[in-house]
Amino acid sequence: MLFLVRMDVYVPHDLPAEQANEIKAREKAYSQDLQRDGRWPHLWRVVGEYANYSIFDVASNDELHQLLQGLPLFPFMKISVTPLAKHPSAI
């Protein structure tokens, strides 16, 4: 199942820089593992924002929820999910 996911990140301004950097490092490692195993095949930054659009290719809604909830930055995110279906005009 394919999903388009927008993630907007809102790291609290009072979070110590060292802690924020550690969370971001874990986030990068986690996301790259999912990219390597094919469940996160596309990741694009939104220009001028601390946000991204991503495509996830997972077996179920529950699997997607589990992966998103596992993101180290999850507590600081607003996430919107759009399920995708093949367009009949796509080649």
Side-chain angles (χ1 to χ4, degrees), residues 28-39:
K28 182 175 183 177
Y30 181 83
S31 70
Q32 289 180 343
D33 285 345
L34 294 174
Q35 290 172 69
R36 284 187 192 95
D37 76 17
R39 291 183 286 175

Side-chain angles (χ1 to χ4, degrees), residues 50-61:
Y50 195 171
N52 73 74
Y53 279 105
S54 295
I55 300 291
F56 283 84
D57 188 358
V58 294
S60 68
N61 295 335

Side-chain angles (χ1 to χ4, degrees), residues 3-80:
F3 296 90
L4 173 66
V5 179
R6 178 173 171 130
M7 297 177 229
D8 293 271
V9 182
Y10 303 98
V11 177
H13 297 300
D14 60 347
L15 189 67
E18 184 175 302
Q19 185 178 357
N21 290 336
E22 187 273 330
I23 293 169
K24 291 174 189 177
R26 286 189 295 119
E27 180 86 8
K28 182 175 183 177
Y30 181 83
S31 70
Q32 289 180 343
D33 285 345
L34 294 174
Q35 290 172 69
R36 284 187 192 95
D37 76 17
R39 291 183 286 175
W40 194 337
H42 299 282
L43 171 59
W44 296 279
R45 174 172 290 177
V46 178
V47 175
E49 298 180 39
Y50 195 171
N52 73 74
Y53 279 105
S54 295
I55 300 291
F56 283 84
D57 188 358
V58 294
S60 68
N61 295 335
D62 291 330
E63 181 181 3
L64 178 63
H65 183 76
Q66 179 184 9
L67 294 178
L68 295 175
Q69 201 170 28
L71 290 164
L73 284 169
F74 181 79
F76 311 116
M77 289 183 175
K78 177 184 174 210
I79 299 174
S80 73

